[in-house]
Amino acid sequence: MWNTPPDFNPKDKLDGCICYDVIRKGAEGILIVRDLPHSIYAETDPHVGRNDLKTYVGMPVRRRKEYVGSLCLLYRKDFLPSPEDRTCIGIIAAIIGREEDRAEQETTLGKSENRFQTLVESTNDWIWETDANAVYTYASPKVKGLLGY
């Protein structure tokens, strides 16, 4: 949520909001709605009238195969993105999706590491790890106790 209006409330009712429709419909490609004051969104999206919006440009953001957000550009003047603009928006939406994937994988990896650490530290087995030079990089509590580390 970069450069949002001061009165923007991300917890507003979602039904009827353009960005939510983009996520929910999950269509490939960019949605462009010009002349917003005369569109259905003038009635259903409170941000249109409150912020005097004229043009909406948005693209869904996908994490894996699920649409999880939208990249939205809102204009107070009539605007038609050029082919280069459309390409740039597509690239940015894809990058955001990749970052969402990476963040989810990082969280999953952290949880997996915590489970592994708990398992290793609660076992009475001898578990250790060394690097290529035979230097210990990890030793379980059992090994530390036996070796005096």
Side-chain angles (χ1 to χ4, degrees):
M1 294 192 332
W2 171 79
N3 205 14
T4 57
D7 64 341
F8 179 74
N9 180 4
K11 296 182 181 181
D12 278 348
K13 181 180 148 238
L14 295 175
D15 285 332
C17 290
I18 308 171
C19 292
Y20 184 62
D21 283 353
V22 168
I23 299 166
R24 203 177 58 211
K25 292 176 184 173
E28 292 295 324
I30 295 174
L31 172 67
I32 300 168
V33 181
R34 296 170 72 188
D35 196 20
L36 281 169
H38 296 101
S39 73
I40 186 70
Y41 293 111
E43 298 170 22
T44 63
D45 191 328
H47 304 289
V48 171
R50 190 181 326 158
N51 295 295
D52 193 30
L53 301 175
K54 303 290 189 249
T55 302
Y56 171 89
V57 179
M59 185 165 195
V61 172
R62 190 171 57 201
R63 181 177 62 212
R64 295 189 189 162
K65 295 185 179 187
E66 177 186 8
Y67 292 100
V68 295
S70 62
L71 173 61
C72 304
L73 297 102
L74 305 164
Y75 297 89
R76 290 190 171 123
K77 294 181 180 180
D78 184 45
F79 178 76
L80 180 62
S82 69
E84 293 82 12
D85 293 332
R86 293 170 192 237
T87 299
C88 186
I89 291 166
I91 290 169
I92 293 169
I95 290 169
I96 293 169
R98 297 280 191 283
E99 280 300 303
E100 288 291 324
D101 285 341
R102 187 195 57 73
E104 181 184 42
Q105 290 168 356
E106 195 171 285
T107 299
T108 301
L109 180 60
K111 289 177 182 176
S112 178
E113 286 176 3
N114 287 341
R115 283 193 305 266
F116 173 75
Q117 191 73 25
T118 300
L119 177 66
V120 167
E121 291 184 4
S122 65
T123 185
N124 282 323
D125 293 334
W126 293 37
I127 300 173
W128 68 90
E129 177 182 80
T130 60
D131 64 14
N133 298 320
V135 174
Y136 285 99
T137 56
Y138 175 80
S140 68
K142 176 79 169 181
V143 173
K144 288 177 184 178
L146 292 170
L147 299 179
Y149 292 156

